[in-house]
Amino acid sequence: MRKLYFAAVLLLSSVAMQAQTYGIKGGVNFANLRGNDAEGFDGMTGFHVGLLTEFYILDRVTLQPELLYSLQGAKVDGDEYKINYVTLPIMAEFDIDGSLSIHAGPQFSLLAGETKDILPAEAENFDFGIAAGLEYEIVGGLFIQGRYVWGQKQVFEDADVKNSVVQLSLGFYF
């Protein structure tokens, strides 16, 4: 697993050397677990924080890789089952009017920790999702984002349970 963390940091670093913009962001997660075996799960609030970079591919299209720490999970019988991930979203950003843009792309996640005493199963070490959202640059590099991450991989080996996360972010481009 250390090799995967190192590879993610190396990828972001190599992309950042070519980047035209760097930034930071953080915000709130509204997370839940969904699927056929997701009975008894309720939504919980978490957070995300991290770094991003972006570089131009075309005139109004950029690639925006991010490296985030993200607290996700769900409530189970009133207790919070927390799943901590280091995530690597790789978003294609389509500029609409200079301030408003649409984001879409894959998100790769590595398990960093979990609350183990709430559920009998342990989360898988790797998660994959599809993310999409909107970004609005307020002024001078300050931006807000709204994003939905739709988990595609089962969180637990033998159960149809996947991550579902709405993220609201505030960030700044340098």
Side-chain angles (χ1 to χ4, degrees):
M1 179 138 67
R2 287 185 196 149
K3 290 178 184 177
L4 289 174
Y5 284 118
F6 179 71
V9 170
L10 187 62
L11 174 65
L12 190 62
S13 298
S14 66
V15 168
M17 287 186 257
Q18 307 282 333
Q20 296 167 346
T21 305
Y22 306 91
I24 58 172
K25 72 182 243 184
V28 64
N29 288 344
F30 299 102
N32 204 347
L33 297 172
R34 62 171 177 76
N36 292 330
D37 298 327
E39 284 288 321
F41 291 120
D42 292 316
M44 67 167 269
T45 304
F47 70 93
H48 62 277
V49 63
L51 306 169
L52 59 99
T53 185
E54 82 178 359
F55 56 96
Y56 287 90
I57 298 173
L58 299 171
D59 183 38
R60 300 188 123 199
V61 179
T62 59
L63 189 64
Q64 181 174 306
E66 304 173 358
L67 187 61
L68 305 173
Y69 178 84
S70 183
L71 174 61
Q72 299 170 195
K75 287 186 181 175
V76 182
D77 298 326
D79 292 324
E80 288 186 343
Y81 172 66
K82 297 177 183 175
I83 311 172
N84 305 300
Y85 288 108
V86 174
T87 66
L88 179 67
I90 302 175
M91 308 301 289
E93 180 178 353
F94 304 95
D95 183 10
I96 295 173
D97 70 358
S99 296
L100 183 65
S101 60
I102 297 172
H103 293 225
Q107 176 171 294
F108 307 93
S109 303
L110 295 173
L111 182 68
E114 67 180 307
T115 308
K116 295 195 181 221
D117 58 346
I118 296 198
L119 295 177
E122 290 187 18
E124 294 287 316
N125 288 327
F126 176 76
D127 191 42
F128 174 76
I130 305 241
L134 294 172
E135 176 182 303
Y136 183 75
E137 188 169 349
I138 300 166
V139 64
L142 183 65
F143 67 87
I144 57 173
Q145 282 181 350
R147 183 179 293 169
Y148 178 69
V149 182
W150 181 34
Q152 300 296 302
K153 188 172 178 310
Q154 292 182 177
V155 174
F156 309 109
E157 184 177 348
D158 296 325
D160 180 22
V161 175
K162 298 174 183 169
N163 280 303
S164 174
V165 184
V166 173
Q167 295 180 324
L168 299 177
S169 308
L170 181 65
F172 187 78
Y173 291 115
F174 297 103

